[in-house]
Amino acid sequence: MTENAQQQPSAPHTELPTQYAPADVEGPLYERWVERGYFEADAKSDKPPYTIVIPPPNVTGSLHLGHAFEHTLIDALTRRKRMQGFETLWQPGMDHAGIATQNVVERELGKEGKSRHDLGREAFVERVWQWKGESGGQISGQMRRLGDGVAWSRERFTMDEGLSQAVQTIFKRLYDDELIYRAERIINWCPRCLTAISDIEVEYQDDDGELVSMKYGEGDDTIVVATTRAETMLGDTAVAVHPDDERYKHLVGKEIRLPLTDRSIPVVADTHVDPEFGTGAVKVTPAHDPNDFEIGQRHDLPAITIMDEHAVITAHGPFQGLDRLEARSAIVAALRAEGRIVAEKRPYVHSVGHCSRCKTTIEPRLSMQWWVKVGPLAKAAGDAVRDGRVKIHPQEMEKRYFDWVDNLHDWCISRQLWWGHRIPVWYGPNGEVVCVGPDEEAPTGEGWRQDTDVLDTWFSSGLWPFSTLGWPEQTESLAKFYPNSVLVTGYDILFFWVARMMMFGLYAMDGTPPFHTIALHGMVRDQFGKKMSKSFGNAVNPLDWMDKYGSDALRFTLARGANPGVDVPIGEDWVQGSRNFANKIWNATRFALMNGATVDGPLPDAAAMSATDRWILSRLNSVVAEVDALYEDFQFAKLSDALFHFAWDEVFDWYVELSKTTFMAGGEPAKVSGRVLGEVLDVTLKLLHPIVPFVTETLWTTLTGGESVVVAEWPTDSGFRDTAAEQEIESLQSVITEVRRFRADQGLQPGQRVPARLTLDGTPFAAHEAAVRQLLRLTPEGEDFSATATLPVAGATVALDLSGTIDVVAERKRLAKDLAAAEKEKAQANAKLGNEAFLAKAPDNVVDKIRGRLAKADEDIARIQSQLERLPQA
């Protein structure tokens, strides 16, 4: 608990509205926080730093549930650290999203009947900047709706002047260190976007295709190969077999005829070939397949490009000018006419890569591109985790990280786009190649030209943890806030964004990794665990739920499902339940204020408190300690659940209810309990604030009169524990719970009053008779009291007179009917489970269901028999 509670300003006890209306509260509150500068970070501060960067959303993007989920977790971490006295920086910004943004603007041009080529490069880039200024970045406003506590004055864009300088600087350094080079390699090519794309921009899905087996060569020199891309046979330059495959040893080194062409190609032996798969022979097309390219390199095979950038056939012959899919059918037909088709399998379901932006099937293509030599960079990224400088949470994700960084291929960083960081390399008229740094003059004169490609978006976003702080300049912010304290991101980009930040951070910052901890979370799914997608009809706009239930409700639902590294199911019913929780907090605080809850002055001595007061304070300190430990372990679901049950169950449903008689009686005990209740609410609202900031801000400032819970002191465990009080109240709870259950079993209405005799002498809760009677609606026994039901619980005895409250004859008749039905159900289940023939044929799920019915019947029988025994005799 806070040590300086007595120093807080006297609470004004402003009357709260009867209902909480999020729409009236959230917007004005957030603007007040921003105006007061609560989220800004001071590099000159002597407070310890706590830094998190936002995974930069695309400038084309809008808030989706994945953003809302991730931002809720980051905001919770930073709000808590701010309250703990750290100089907290949550760095905001956006990614220029090369392909996505260019596609958006090109679509707009298309509506005008134009293409980017009609404008030319310079005018097109100006058009993109214009679009960015007018329409881009709408997600910033949506982040405010969610309550993101980011340092808005520090907002960055991956193509702003400073970050562009960082990109050019690191490109130049890597180039000079021979870690960037230009070479002809196989890349993922999108025939629609007309650019190379990275592995992360390729989405794989199972497509219906065809597997065609065809015969190459003549007579004894024939060999059968199979392919799903028959059109690529026009670019075959070999057939490969395994060196130890006896079936083909007589062919290795020979040349065989390639059908439909005037060429002959060699049969080569290569260990890459699996002799057990298919025929054990594979066609080799070095210009259109990454594995074939490697085989071609090993055997010095030519690489023949047979398609242009639009995936149209360029090879000479009757197929020239055909689209790749048209050519596929035409080539299979031509081979069939020559009697060379051995087998055809349709449909043949196989995994096919598609461009994530336009969904076009990607085409492996030999192309001259720029590459990063990742070997030494990836080793450094792996070593930083292995030697403990960087922790991955949860730890079991480390294996996935190592599987990736230990097997990285060189990274293709060039893109055939106009929007992005243009590659800072110039070519001279006599073959000169000059890489230009940010402080260097580009060569001029006749014949000099700059490379037309731009850099992969991941190249600039890989610099994000330090470029946003002013690097390559040695700024105060860089010295204060680098390295980041933690990176919070989804496990799905562990391999792409995270690995690149690790490589670049270690390289640029002299071996200092970009963050101490990588905290990985899962993906948001629907309530049935299914991926959310517009095509599935289950996608949700988080703004709709925020409009309907409030931002706090959405945030609490997301946090309560956030187990580290595990996907998060979410449904509207759960958001509605979180809204109910916010209302519960509101109503309970209203009650507390109306009944004297206060933070004025120090807490009373324990000797002046009731057992109920000491119990709730003891529990409060335990929850403070538990929540702190769970935060440090990124266990958002567990800490949210702990706070939910403490606030709702223990504070609102038990402490408040048990204290009502004290408040009604007035006097000094009521003042003591009012101060205790104020303390409990003060601390509970602070603990809840990082996850549900809006409702807690309104309630806390009303309760305490403090400036803002955003900058209030985070609670600490004072060490106060009272085991005896906890045991006493737990026993009292068991009495109340058991009697409530009995009342419900007898069909009594919750508010129905029943005469009762309480024997509490000698129990640890003898002083609580007034509270017991109040909570259980038990009236004192009269002269004609007759104990028709007696309940011994936790050392106490509760005798009830039910003679005037229920029709015993009718109740026995009803229970007897229910008992007969339960016994019949049990007999039927036993009969099926005892039938060997049935068990031998029935599916496991059917048998399990019957076992469940049997267990339920047993429970019902025991419950009904207990109710009958407790009923008075008719």
Side-chain angles (χ1 to χ4, degrees):
M1 294 179 291
T2 52
E3 297 175 354
N4 64 339
Q6 68 272 20
Q7 298 173 359
Q8 293 178 343
S10 177
H13 289 185
T14 305
E15 185 176 342
L16 289 166
T18 55
Q19 290 184 325
Y20 176 50
D24 297 338
V25 169
E26 294 173 352
L29 265 189
Y30 188 84
E31 291 309 313
R32 189 183 314 154
W33 292 334
V34 173
E35 288 167 6
R36 292 179 176 178
Y38 291 154
F39 304 143
E40 296 303 323
D42 182 4
K44 293 182 170 64
S45 166
D46 58 1
K47 296 178 182 178
Y50 187 80
T51 315
I52 297 181
V53 294
I54 193 171
N58 288 351
V59 67
T60 58
S62 59
L63 190 75
H64 57 63
L65 271 179
H67 289 128
F69 173 54
E70 186 168 77
H71 291 198
T72 294
L73 304 188
I74 298 175
D75 198 38
L77 290 173
T78 54
R79 283 179 182 270
R80 171 175 174 261
K81 286 296 182 180
R82 189 178 293 112
M83 295 171 74
Q84 286 182 316
F86 286 77
E87 192 63 36
T88 303
L89 169 60
W90 182 9
Q91 174 66 53
M94 286 182 293
D95 191 288
H96 65 278
I99 294 178
T101 307
Q102 180 157 317
N103 281 346
V104 168
V105 178
E106 284 196 86
R107 281 196 296 270
E108 286 193 354
L109 286 174
K111 295 174 184 176
E112 302 170 12
K114 298 178 182 178
S115 74
R116 60 181 165 122
H117 299 285
D118 294 323
L119 271 66
R121 183 169 191 142
E122 186 175 335
F124 176 77
V125 171
E126 288 181 6
R127 179 70 177 260
V128 180
W129 278 109
Q130 179 185 343
W131 175 88
K132 190 256 182 187
E134 295 173 354
S135 305
Q138 62 174 309
I139 196 171
S140 295
Q142 295 164 347
M143 288 165 58
R144 293 169 182 264
R145 281 288 314 279
L146 189 66
D148 286 4
V150 300
W152 287 112
S153 68
R154 292 172 172 265
E155 187 173 15
R156 303 304 299 269
F157 180 56
T158 50
M159 282 188 62
D160 67 29
E161 184 177 352
L163 268 65
S164 295
Q165 181 184 19
V167 168
Q168 193 172 354
T169 298
I170 201 161
F171 187 100
K172 171 68 172 175
R173 291 186 187 180
L174 289 164
Y175 181 88
D176 289 346
D177 288 343
E178 298 183 349
L179 292 173
I180 282 183
Y181 63 94
R182 191 168 184 244
E184 196 173 42
R185 298 277 181 83
I186 294 286
I187 46 88
N188 302 309
W189 181 264
C190 176
R192 157 61 183 80
C193 297
L194 299 180
T195 181
I197 60 176
S198 66
D199 292 336
I200 195 173
E201 292 162 327
V202 178
E203 292 180 349
Y204 287 90
Q205 65 185 48
D206 288 341
D207 286 358
D208 287 344
E210 60 181 1
L211 181 66
V212 179
S213 298
M214 47 198 182
K215 183 169 59 176
Y216 287 7
E218 307 290 349
D220 292 339
D221 292 344
T222 60
I223 194 166
V224 176
V225 297
T227 182
T228 58
R229 300 161 66 217
E231 69 278 8
T232 63
M233 61 86 58
L234 298 175
D236 286 357
T237 56
V239 171
V241 298
H242 193 277
D244 300 329
D245 195 331
E246 295 292 337
R247 294 171 294 176
Y248 303 117
K249 280 200 171 181
H250 69 288
L251 289 176
V252 174
K254 286 188 176 183
E255 296 220 344
I256 59 175
R257 178 173 173 262
L258 180 65
L260 308 182
T261 71
D262 295 328
R263 295 190 290 115
S264 293
I265 58 176
V267 177
V268 300
D270 196 282
T271 54
H272 170 76
V273 180
D274 180 1
E276 303 298 323
F277 183 77
T279 65
V282 297
K283 57 190 287 300
V284 181
T285 320
H288 293 277
D289 183 274
N291 293 322
D292 293 3
F293 177 79
E294 298 296 331
I295 294 175
Q297 294 287 98
R298 288 193 290 271
H299 297 276
D300 198 24
L301 301 173
I304 302 174
T305 299
I306 59 140
M307 295 181 212
D308 66 12
E309 59 186 6
H310 298 279
V312 171
I313 301 298
T314 57
H316 293 298
F319 311 107
Q320 187 173 4
L322 295 179
D323 172 79
R324 56 183 165 168
L325 299 182
E326 296 171 335
R328 183 175 301 171
S329 300
I331 286 171
V332 171
L335 289 168
R336 191 183 299 114
E338 288 192 4
R340 290 189 173 274
I341 298 297
V342 176
E344 297 178 70
K345 184 176 181 180
R346 295 190 187 88
Y348 179 73
V349 179
H350 62 130
S351 181
V352 177
H354 297 259
C355 174
S356 62
R357 301 299 179 190
C358 67
K359 311 309 176 186
T360 302
T361 300
I362 62 107
E363 189 66 41
R365 185 170 188 260
L366 187 62
S367 180
M368 183 67 76
Q369 301 285 346
W370 286 94
W371 304 82
V372 171
K373 186 185 296 182
V374 300
L377 302 175
K379 182 181 183 304
D383 290 345
V385 174
R386 287 189 170 95
D387 63 24
R389 281 176 290 158
V390 178
K391 305 289 186 185
I392 293 181
H393 191 279
Q395 191 174 3
E396 54 266 26
M397 288 286 182
E398 282 187 3
K399 182 180 184 303
R400 298 177 66 176
Y401 176 79
F402 292 135
D403 286 346
W404 181 253
V405 297
D406 293 347
N407 297 286
L408 269 179
H409 298 294
D410 284 0
W411 171 20
C412 176
I413 56 171
S414 47
R415 299 290 179 266
Q416 289 64 56
L417 304 171
W418 288 356
W419 172 245
H421 295 101
R422 196 164 174 182
I423 288 176
V425 171
W426 273 256
Y427 305 104
N430 299 311
E432 302 96 334
V433 179
V434 177
C435 180
V436 178
D439 300 323
E440 300 172 346
E441 291 291 331
T444 58
E446 187 176 349
W448 283 93
R449 59 183 177 83
Q450 185 178 0
D451 195 299
T452 57
D453 289 350
V454 300
L455 287 164
D456 177 13
T457 297
W458 295 100
F459 191 93
S460 51
S461 61
L463 314 180
W464 193 246
F466 52 94
S467 64
T468 52
L469 298 173
W471 186 92
E473 301 299 323
Q474 297 304 309
T475 63
E476 286 183 322
S477 290
L478 188 64
K480 176 74 173 181
F481 296 112
Y482 187 92
N484 290 190
S485 306
V486 62
L487 173 75
V488 179
T489 191
Y491 63 70
D492 59 324
I493 55 174
L494 171 64
F495 318 130
F496 307 107
W497 186 47
V498 178
R500 282 153 173 70
M501 286 191 291
M502 286 285 283
M503 291 191 296
F504 281 165
L506 289 159
Y507 174 80
M509 300 299 293
D510 299 320
T512 302
F515 18 74
H516 297 300
T517 302
I518 302 168
L520 298 170
H521 59 73
M523 305 295 103
V524 178
R525 298 183 178 272
D526 71 12
Q527 59 189 317
F528 306 107
K530 191 174 181 180
K531 180 181 178 180
M532 285 192 171
S533 166
K534 290 181 180 178
S535 60
F536 294 154
N538 62 350
V540 173
N541 183 345
L543 296 172
D544 292 341
W545 281 352
M546 287 193 280
D547 288 342
K548 194 171 182 179
Y549 303 110
S551 298
D552 285 334
L554 177 63
R555 290 171 60 116
F556 193 73
T557 305
L558 291 165
R560 205 173 176 192
N563 290 298
V566 179
D567 288 346
V568 183
I570 185 172
E572 185 170 1
D573 288 350
W574 305 343
V575 185
Q576 185 175 353
S578 296
R579 187 271 314 272
N580 295 344
F581 179 50
N583 289 342
K584 184 79 170 180
I585 302 170
W586 183 272
N587 292 333
T589 306
R590 282 189 74 247
F591 168 85
L593 291 171
M594 293 165 60
N595 284 274
T598 180
V599 296
D600 294 345
L603 280 171
D605 292 336
M609 297 181 191
S610 68
T612 309
D613 295 332
R614 297 194 306 276
W615 161 71
I616 198 63
L617 289 176
S618 182
R619 288 292 304 125
L620 178 66
N621 277 284
S622 295
V623 169
V624 169
E626 181 183 7
V627 167
D628 272 332
L630 291 170
Y631 259 117
E632 295 303 315
D633 200 35
F634 305 101
Q635 297 282 356
F636 296 98
K638 290 182 179 179
L639 71 90
S640 300
D641 213 47
L643 287 171
F644 174 86
H645 287 293
F646 175 71
W648 191 305
D649 300 344
E650 298 187 75
V651 179
F652 305 148
D653 279 359
W654 281 110
Y655 180 73
V656 168
E657 293 298 321
L658 287 170
S659 301
K660 280 182 177 178
T661 53
T662 303
F663 289 132
M664 287 188 290
E668 189 60 28
K671 292 181 180 179
V672 170
S673 291
R675 179 64 188 89
V676 170
L677 180 53
E679 179 75 7
V680 171
L681 286 174
D682 173 23
V683 173
T684 302
L685 291 170
K686 287 176 180 176
L687 292 175
L688 283 165
H689 172 73
I691 299 173
V692 286
F694 294 108
V695 68
T696 51
E697 170 81 341
T698 305
L699 295 175
W700 187 85
T701 53
T702 302
L703 171 72
T704 68
E707 177 189 344
S708 172
V709 71
V710 177
V711 291
E713 184 179 346
W714 182 255
T716 56
D717 177 6
S718 71
F720 177 81
R721 299 291 190 278
D722 193 324
T723 305
E726 289 195 37
Q727 291 174 344
E728 179 174 334
I729 301 305
E730 286 170 9
S731 297
L732 179 61
Q733 289 171 333
S734 66
V735 171
I736 293 170
T737 300
E738 183 63 24
V739 176
R740 281 176 172 168
R741 183 180 299 116
F742 176 75
R743 287 176 56 108
D745 287 343
Q746 304 309 315
L748 296 178
Q749 295 300 315
Q752 190 171 352
R753 299 201 171 268
V754 178
R757 176 189 300 142
L758 304 184
T759 307
L760 306 178
D761 295 340
T763 67
F765 41 88
H768 298 282
E769 180 170 347
V772 172
R773 290 190 177 275
Q774 171 69 21
L775 290 173
L776 292 174
R777 304 296 190 267
L778 302 180
T779 60
E781 55 186 298
E783 292 183 2
D784 57 348
F785 178 83
S786 175
T788 58
T790 302
L791 284 75
V793 188
T797 301
V798 179
L800 304 173
D801 183 355
L802 304 177
S803 57
T805 58
I806 60 172
D807 184 334
V808 176
V809 174
E811 185 65 11
R812 282 191 173 277
K813 185 176 181 180
R814 183 185 69 80
L815 289 173
K817 183 178 179 181
D818 291 346
L819 180 60
E823 288 174 337
K824 181 179 179 181
E825 175 73 5
K826 178 178 180 179
Q828 290 175 340
N830 273 326
K832 287 189 175 181
L833 294 174
N835 185 334
E836 294 296 335
F838 170 78
L839 294 176
K841 295 180 181 179
D844 290 344
N845 65 317
V846 173
V847 176
D848 289 343
K849 187 174 182 180
I850 294 172
R851 288 189 177 126
R853 285 168 50 193
L854 176 61
K856 176 66 166 55
D858 281 334
E859 291 176 6
D860 288 344
I861 290 169
R863 175 179 55 79
I864 296 168
Q865 287 176 338
S866 175
Q867 289 176 249
L868 284 167
E869 290 171 3
R870 290 174 168 180
L871 273 178
Q873 296 300 314

